[in-house]
Amino acid sequence: MIGLIAGLLAVGGAGGAYVMTRGGAPSSGTTDLASAGDLGIHDPALVAGGDGEPWFVYGTGDVRQGFGAPRILRSDDGGVTWAEAGTAWDQAGDPEWVRDEATGVAGVENYWAPELYRHDGTWYLYYSASTFGSNDSAIGLATGTTLDPADPDYGWEDHGVVVRSTPGETHYNAIDPGVVEDADGTPWLFFGSFWGGIQLVPLEWPSGKPVDGAEPVAVASRVGVPDNAIEAPFVVRRDGWYYLFVSWDKCCSGVDSTYRIMVGRSREVTGPYLDADGKDMMLGGGTEVASTSGRMIGPGGQTVSVVGEPGSPSSAYYLAFHFYDGDAGGAPTLAVRELEWDGEGWPSVAPG
């Protein structure tokens, strides 16, 4: 997220620390998901477990923990109560290429907006390395066999850069990764923040990296909006559609945040993505899913986790995002809601 560092300072004071909150994500009205425990997180990547399985959230790191590695939350009661479970790695496991003067991103203190995707028994952990207000950024990749730090087989093997953006050379910002497989099993990476908007590039298995020679192509933008305030793309398949969720406006400013979650959809993973009124997301289209409501200020930084067969309308789709709690001084807080779908196939969440 482009506003991360400023937002952490605004919310938590000197040093970029933010407040760890206990309790209180708004209920969807049908379930009290993310309503108790340790809920302080930015940019949650949710993996909802099946019956009897733990749920995990990996989120933006804190420079004071694990050398800024993605933070981990765990739930053992179906996503209701959450507890700290550590970080993806510690200082000894920090990706060397990020700190290297030749290949790295100068000034990185923590890793932002991770993405988790499982393919053929392997977990792919994509993470963002960047600094506030700059598109001197990169998305990196690590792989492992389990998400659970308590598992004896836990550990991440880093595979370096996936996508790089450089000021003056690229029109996009290489952060906020989101991965989806199309109906044919081809993986695609969505990414982007401000600058040239949301980008799409094909990946290949098993490397999890872009197809040789492939170049990113824009699929969503905000025409005429200052700084092109769109980021945090995430795409999910359902009932023959690809749904592109994004965050609009300003993140990471506590109670002054104006983030909101928008969506469009397409029959093809490559777009065009249109909103409910038929407006192309490349031309500023988007249908609102969630915005400020009561104590829930600036919801965004979203992912969707599917329980059941991907693409099936009978599966459960859980939207995870952070918001700024107006009853707790604007502390960043986890929310998890089961998406509701109307008769036309458009998603929504009940207001908090």
Side-chain angles (χ1 to χ4, degrees):
M1 292 177 307
I2 192 170
L4 177 64
I5 294 176
L8 296 182
L9 291 170
V11 172
Y18 53 83
V19 178
M20 299 300 294
T21 64
R22 295 192 65 85
S27 170
S28 68
T30 58
T31 182
D32 290 326
L33 294 174
S35 60
D38 298 310
L39 303 177
I41 201 79
H42 267 111
D43 310 313
L46 171 67
V47 176
D51 289 343
E53 296 179 337
W55 292 31
F56 288 97
V57 158
Y58 280 49
T60 288
D62 180 340
V63 67
R64 302 167 303 170
Q65 298 174 257
F67 209 54
R71 293 176 49 242
I72 306 172
L73 303 181
R74 173 182 175 136
S75 172
D76 290 303
D77 60 1
V80 176
T81 307
W82 293 85
E84 287 275 354
T87 56
W89 54 77
D90 56 18
Q91 183 168 353
D94 188 70
E96 293 183 3
W97 67 268
V98 176
R99 316 292 176 177
D100 188 276
E101 289 187 8
T103 61
V105 179
V108 169
E109 293 185 348
N110 58 341
Y111 297 96
W112 306 353
E115 158 69 329
L116 295 165
Y117 197 88
R118 191 169 188 262
H119 173 76
D120 198 22
T122 295
W123 282 103
Y124 291 73
L125 169 58
Y126 295 84
Y127 55 88
S128 307
S130 187
T131 56
F132 172 66
S134 168
N135 74 329
D136 182 10
S137 309
I139 294 170
L141 171 64
T143 58
T145 59
T146 176
L147 301 181
D148 187 358
D151 191 310
D153 294 327
Y154 181 80
W156 295 99
E157 179 183 358
D158 198 79
H159 300 281
V161 179
V162 177
V163 180
R164 183 78 161 89
S165 58
T166 305
E169 296 182 15
T170 52
H171 68 287
Y172 51 78
N173 191 13
I175 67 170
D176 291 0
V179 175
V180 67
E181 280 188 81
D182 64 24
D184 297 324
T186 300
W188 299 81
L189 174 68
F190 289 77
F191 69 93
S193 169
F194 290 54
W195 275 269
I198 305 306
Q199 309 292 314
L200 170 67
V201 67
L203 305 178
E204 60 88 21
W205 301 127
S207 74
K209 292 191 175 183
V211 172
D212 285 346
E215 292 292 333
V217 175
V219 292
S221 188
R222 297 185 71 194
V223 177
V225 174
D227 300 320
N228 201 15
I230 182 173
E231 58 187 1
F234 194 88
V235 171
V236 65
R237 283 196 298 128
R238 182 184 185 273
D239 199 19
W241 293 99
Y242 296 89
Y243 290 84
L244 171 57
F245 294 83
V246 296
S247 297
W248 278 9
D249 301 329
K250 183 173 67 172
C251 171
C252 311
S253 299
V255 296
D256 295 323
S257 300
T258 58
Y259 239 17
R260 49 186 169 139
I261 301 172
M262 312 296 287
V263 71
R265 69 183 184 183
S266 173
R267 289 293 189 185
E268 303 293 335
V269 70
T270 52
Y273 287 88
L274 309 181
D275 66 16
D277 295 323
K279 186 173 182 179
D280 195 330
M281 293 183 77
M282 274 296 294
L283 302 176
T287 296
E288 186 173 289
V289 177
S291 61
T292 294
S293 176
R295 57 180 283 221
M296 185 181 78
I297 299 171
Q302 66 288 322
T303 58
V304 177
S305 183
V306 183
V307 177
E309 183 67 26
S312 170
S314 63
S315 299
Y317 292 75
Y318 294 96
L319 178 73
F321 56 93
H322 69 255
F323 68 94
Y324 300 93
D325 190 343
D327 289 348
T333 304
L334 172 67
V336 180
R337 308 281 191 84
E338 184 171 356
L339 286 170
E340 302 170 357
W341 304 86
D342 69 17
E344 298 298 320
W346 287 98
S348 65
V349 295

